[in-house]
Amino acid sequence: MHTHYILFFFLLIFLPFSKPDLAADHAALLTLRSSVGGRTLFWNVTLSSPCSWAGVLCEGNRVTVLRLPGVALSGQLPSGIFSNLTQLRTLSLRLNALSGQLPSDLAACKSLRNLYLQGNLFSGEIPEFLFTLHDLVRLNLGENNFTGEISTGFGNFSRLRTLYLENNKLTGSIPDLKLEKLEQFNVSNNLLNGSVPERFGGFKTSSFLGNSLCGKPLDLCTTSNGSIVVPSSPTDGNGGKKKKLSGGAIAGIAIGSVIGFFLIVMILMCLCRKKGSQKSRSIDIASIKQQELGIQGEKPTEEMENGSSGFGNGNGNGYSVAAAAAAAMVGGGKGGAGGGGGGEANAKKLIFFGKASRVFDLEDLLRASAEVLGKGTFGTAYKAVLEMGTVVAVKRLKDVTITEKEFREKIEIVGAMDHESLIPLRAFYYSRDEKLLVYDYMPMGSLSALLHGSKGAGRTPLNWEIRSGIALGAARGIQYLHSQGPNVSHGNIKSSNILLTQNYEGRVSDFGLAHLVGPSSTPNRVAGYRAPEVTDPRKVSQKADVYSFGVLVLELLTGKPPTHALLNEEGVDLPRWVQSIVREEWTSEVFDLELLRYQNVEEEMVQLLQLGIDCAAQYPDNRPTMSEVTGRIEELRRFSVRDDQDAPDVVDDNSSR
C-alpha cells in the first residue's frame, strides 16, 4: 500500500515536468492554423503526423522547422503554442499580415537559431524575453511597426550573424553592441538619432539611411555645446531636413519635366517605327544573288546575348532570314561549282534525316520570313516561317573547325538521335562558308526565358508539378544520349538549351554540337554550368554533363541564374551558395518564393534539391549516373502525385471553416 502512495507521489512530482512530444507539436500547429491560418494553410489534418505538412520539418520525432512565408496569415499569434514547439530551430513567418505583439512563450524555444518575422504588422517594443534566445544566428524583424529603443539586450546574441531592424519606428540611438560575429546589419528608415558606434562603421551606408545619424560610414558628426549635431543632407533619408525649393525652381522643374516627357514620347515613337521597319520580311533568292558580294559577312544588328541558343520563342528583334547566311550560301555554291569539288555538289541542297518531311528545299528556306531568336554558344538561331506556313528553327553555326567529311560524319550521328525528350535535327546544309541546321520550332521558348523573363500578369505560375516535370524531361533526354555509348555526351547543358512543349515538358536541344566547333566558341557565360574538371569544351564527359544538370536543377528550384547567385561576395557560384544555406539549416530559404506558395510537397522539393547538390559534387566519382538521376526524379514525382490525391480532403476541410 505504501508503495502505491510513493509511486503516486513521484508521478505527481515528475508528470508536470515531462517533455512535450510530437502530439503536443501537432496540437500547437492546429491551434496556430485555427487562429491565423484560415484557408491559407492547406494541411491534411487527417494525417496523424504533422511532419508531412507543407512548411513543417521534423527531426527526432519533434517539429524543428516551421516555414510559412507569404501565405496570407493574419491576426495575432496566439499565446501558448510556442511553449509546445520547444525544439524549433527555424521559424519563418515573413511576408504575412500578422499583427500585435510577439507572444511571450516564444522564449521557450531555446534552440531557435533562425527567426524571420519581416514583412508583417507586429507592433510594440521589441520584447525583452527575446534576448534570452542566446543561440540565435539570424534575426530579421524588418518591415514591421516596432517602436521604442534598440535594447542593449541584443548584445546577448553572441552567435548572431544577421540583424535586420529596418523600416520600423525605432527611436533613440544605436547602442554599442558587442556582436563579434555580425555580418549583416540594417537599421535604415527608423527614427534613430546620434552617432553610429565605431564597431558598425564597416557596414554600408544603406544600412543607416532614413535616420538622423552621423559618423562613419555617414557624414562625420559635429558638436555644439557638448552635444552632437547631425549634418542635414538631402541624401540622409527621412531623418534629415531638406532645403525648401523656391517657387521659380519648382516652376522650372515642372516645365523641364513636361519637355522631358514629350522628348521621351518622341524617342519611343522613333524606336517603334525603326522596330517596325525591321520586322520579318521575305527575301527573294534572286535579290540575294544580285547583292551577294555586298551582303556577304553581314551580321544581325542586335542579338540576345543571354537569349535562347535553342529554338524556342525568344524576344529577339525581327530580322529577315540570315541575309549574310543566304548570300554566303549562294556564294559557297558558286565556289563549289567552279571548283568542281565533290563535296560542293550538294551546296544548294538541304540534307534531310530519316523520316523527316521534305516539303521544302533550300530556296524555300531562303525566301522565308524570319526573326532572330538568340545568339547561343554555337551560333545564331532564327525562327523561319516558310511560304506554305511551315515554321522551323534554323541555327547558323559559327567557328566550325573540322573538315567537311568530319562534319558530315558527326552530324549524321546527331541526326540519328531519336527520343521524345530531344529536339530532333531535321536537316542540315553545308558549304564552305555556311553551315545551317534545321530543327523543329518550339513556340513555348526556353526554360531560361521562362524562369528569368517577364513575370507579369498572364504568366503561368511555375509550381512543383511544372518544374519537376521539366527536370524529368531534361533528365530523360540526357540519359538517352548517354545510353548511346560511353563517349557520347551533350557538352553544353544549360537552361537556355532546355526548350518547352505546349504542356511545359522539357526537351533537350543543342546536343552533339560541342564536337563541331572550336574552343573559342564557348563563352565565359556558360562557366556557371561547367564542371570544375572541364578544360576543353569540346571534350566533356558524361560525369561533367551530370554536374551541369545538377546546376540546372538548382536553378529550377531557386529561380536564380548560376552566374548571379551571390552571397554577399563576388564570384560565389550557385552550387556553393545552395550548400552554404543548407549547412546553416535554413534549407527552405533557397527555394523560389513562387515555388513555395501553396505547396504541399516541401519534402519532395528538398529531395530534388539534394539531388541537384549530389549531381554538382566537386569530384566526378561522387556524382550519380543520369539513369540514377532519372529514377530518383521519377520516384519523388510519384510520391508527390500520391500526396496530391489527398488534396480534395484538404480542400473540404478548409472550405468548411
Side-chain angles (χ1 to χ4, degrees):
M1 191 70 176
H2 292 289
T3 305
H4 292 301
Y5 282 121
I6 294 172
L7 179 60
F8 181 69
F9 177 74
F10 277 104
L11 285 174
L12 287 177
I13 293 177
F14 292 109
L15 191 59
F17 299 99
S18 60
K19 294 181 179 179
D21 55 13
L22 191 59
D25 292 351
H26 182 279
L29 293 176
L30 290 181
T31 301
L32 174 67
R33 180 177 182 268
S34 62
S35 301
V36 298
R39 296 167 55 89
T40 60
L41 293 181
F42 295 152
W43 288 343
N44 188 351
V45 297
T46 60
L47 297 176
S48 59
S49 172
C51 300
S52 59
W53 294 352
V56 180
L57 293 179
C58 298
E59 207 173 292
N61 206 38
R62 293 299 306 279
V63 173
T64 57
V65 174
L66 179 60
R67 294 182 181 279
L68 303 172
V71 292
L73 303 181
S74 61
Q76 297 188 18
L77 291 174
S79 181
I81 60 171
F82 293 109
S83 57
N84 286 325
L85 298 170
T86 55
Q87 296 303 307
L88 273 181
R89 289 203 302 268
T90 295
L91 175 62
S92 177
L93 301 175
R94 59 189 173 88
L95 304 177
N96 285 290
L98 297 170
S99 58
Q101 297 184 347
L102 299 181
S104 59
D105 62 314
L106 186 61
C109 301
K110 298 298 184 182
S111 300
L112 201 62
R113 296 184 62 190
N114 309 298
L115 181 58
Y116 304 100
L117 300 177
Q118 69 268 32
N120 282 284
L121 303 171
F122 290 117
S123 59
E125 295 188 2
I126 298 174
E128 289 293 323
F129 66 77
L130 199 64
F131 307 129
T132 64
L133 304 176
H134 297 155
D135 287 338
L136 275 179
V137 176
R138 313 282 178 183
L139 177 59
N140 194 332
L141 302 177
E143 301 175 56
N144 280 286
N145 294 319
F146 286 114
T147 57
E149 298 187 354
I150 298 177
S151 171
T152 56
F154 282 103
N156 296 343
F157 299 134
S158 59
R159 302 178 62 187
L160 199 65
R161 296 183 182 179
T162 299
L163 178 58
Y164 286 146
L165 302 172
E166 74 278 8
N167 295 301
N168 280 288
K169 300 175 182 178
L170 300 176
T171 57
S173 59
I174 302 175
D176 189 9
L177 304 173
K178 296 180 180 180
L179 299 174
E180 303 295 340
K181 295 186 177 181
L182 197 64
E183 299 170 352
Q184 299 170 310
F185 181 69
N186 196 331
V187 293
S188 61
N189 299 316
N190 279 285
L191 304 173
L192 302 173
N193 55 54
S195 60
V196 176
E198 185 178 348
R199 69 175 65 250
F200 294 113
F203 291 102
K204 296 180 180 179
T205 303
S206 58
S207 297
F208 305 96
L209 294 179
N211 294 287
S212 297
L213 295 169
C214 60
K216 187 178 178 181
L218 305 173
D219 294 334
L220 296 179
C221 299
T222 58
T223 57
S224 176
N225 297 326
S227 59
I228 296 176
V229 178
V230 180
S232 60
S233 169
T235 61
D236 65 354
N238 298 331
K241 295 183 179 179
K242 300 181 181 180
K243 294 181 179 179
K244 294 184 178 180
L245 297 175
S246 65
I250 295 175
I253 292 174
I255 295 173
S257 299
V258 172
I259 295 174
F261 173 76
F262 281 109
L263 285 174
I264 292 173
V265 171
M266 292 177 64
I267 292 172
L268 290 175
M269 291 175 64
C270 292
L271 289 174
C272 290
R273 289 179 180 176
K274 183 177 179 181
K275 185 174 182 179
S277 67
Q278 290 180 340
K279 283 187 176 180
S280 304
R281 60 183 177 88
S282 297
I283 292 184
D284 185 81
I285 194 167
S287 65
I288 296 175
K289 290 180 179 178
Q290 294 173 0
Q291 302 178 39
E292 65 177 274
L293 293 178
I295 300 179
Q296 189 170 355
E298 179 185 344
K299 293 185 178 180
T301 56
E302 181 177 345
E303 297 174 327
M304 293 171 56
E305 283 296 326
N306 294 315
S308 170
S309 60
F311 323 107
N313 185 22
N315 298 318
N317 290 336
Y319 190 75
S320 54
V321 175
M329 278 189 275
V330 179
K334 291 174 69 175
E344 294 294 331
N346 294 322
K348 294 185 180 181
K349 291 183 180 179
L350 286 173
I351 308 300
F352 287 84
F353 292 102
K355 299 178 182 178
S357 176
R358 293 171 171 78
V359 296
F360 61 92
D361 56 22
L362 183 62
E363 292 199 4
D364 295 323
L365 194 62
L366 293 177
R367 281 195 296 266
S369 61
E371 64 183 71
V372 175
L373 293 175
K375 181 179 180 182
T377 303
F378 303 124
T380 303
Y382 303 86
K383 171 188 174 183
V385 182
L386 306 177
E387 289 181 346
M388 71 282 293
T390 304
V391 182
V392 295
V394 181
K395 179 176 283 290
R396 181 188 180 198
L397 296 179
K398 64 178 181 180
D399 298 334
V400 175
T401 57
I402 59 178
T403 65
E404 178 180 351
K405 180 181 179 182
E406 290 177 297
F407 181 90
R408 289 177 179 270
E409 289 175 351
K410 293 180 181 296
I411 209 65
E412 284 176 3
I413 295 174
V414 176
M417 300 291 184
D418 183 18
H419 191 272
E420 64 176 5
S421 293
L422 300 179
I423 304 294
L425 176 61
R426 299 304 187 190
F428 78 94
Y429 169 87
Y430 185 98
S431 74
R432 181 184 60 190
D433 300 299
E434 287 298 332
K435 292 85 185 171
L436 299 182
L437 306 179
V438 181
Y439 294 87
D440 289 346
Y441 174 68
M442 303 292 286
M444 297 301 291
S446 71
L447 173 60
S448 176
L450 189 68
L451 280 176
H452 313 304
S454 173
K455 297 190 177 181
R459 177 178 180 270
T460 300
L462 297 182
N463 57 24
W464 163 254
E465 184 179 357
I466 290 177
R467 298 198 199 206
S468 61
I470 292 172
L472 180 58
R476 285 172 172 169
I478 301 167
Q479 179 190 354
Y480 169 80
L481 293 175
H482 289 187
S483 70
Q484 302 305 297
N487 296 322
V488 179
S489 63
H490 185 288
N492 191 33
I493 297 168
K494 56 182 179 178
S495 59
S496 58
N497 281 339
I498 306 301
L499 307 184
L500 307 174
T501 67
Q502 294 284 356
N503 296 325
Y504 292 95
E505 297 169 335
R507 298 289 184 265
V508 180
S509 70
D510 264 21
F511 52 90
L513 304 190
H515 305 286
L516 303 178
V517 300
S520 61
S521 296
T522 306
N524 291 331
R525 64 174 176 271
V526 302
Y529 298 92
R530 187 183 299 170
E533 72 272 11
V534 174
T535 55
D536 186 344
R538 296 171 299 178
K539 300 177 181 178
V540 176
S541 67
Q542 292 185 353
K543 287 293 189 179
D545 273 355
V546 174
Y547 180 94
S548 301
F549 179 79
V551 178
L552 179 74
V553 168
L554 300 181
E555 184 178 2
L556 254 176
L557 294 175
T558 64
K560 298 177 182 294
T563 52
H564 297 108
L566 308 181
L567 183 63
N568 297 326
E569 59 181 292
E570 193 166 353
V572 178
D573 58 25
L574 189 51
R576 284 181 55 195
W577 179 75
V578 170
Q579 289 166 9
S580 69
I581 301 295
V582 171
R583 279 196 300 270
E584 290 294 335
E585 300 182 13
W586 32 316
T587 302
S588 294
E589 290 294 320
V590 307
F591 292 121
D592 190 349
L593 185 60
E594 188 177 42
L595 182 59
L596 283 173
R597 210 165 261 149
Y598 310 120
Q599 300 292 317
N600 194 31
V601 288
E602 186 163 4
E603 183 177 344
E604 288 82 4
M605 288 160 49
V606 172
Q607 290 179 23
L608 187 57
L609 184 76
Q610 186 58 55
L611 176 59
I613 294 173
D614 292 345
C615 290
Q618 188 77 5
Y619 299 104
D621 291 342
N622 294 337
R623 302 168 196 158
T625 64
M626 282 309 302
S627 60
E628 294 171 343
V629 169
T630 303
R632 287 171 64 176
I633 298 177
E634 289 173 342
E635 177 60 28
L636 63 90
R637 272 177 59 83
R638 279 196 296 269
F639 187 82
S640 63
V641 168
R642 288 196 297 269
D643 282 352
D644 290 342
Q645 292 173 352
D646 295 330
D649 296 333
V650 181
V651 174
D652 291 341
D653 178 76
N654 285 284
S655 61
S656 65
R657 301 190 69 83

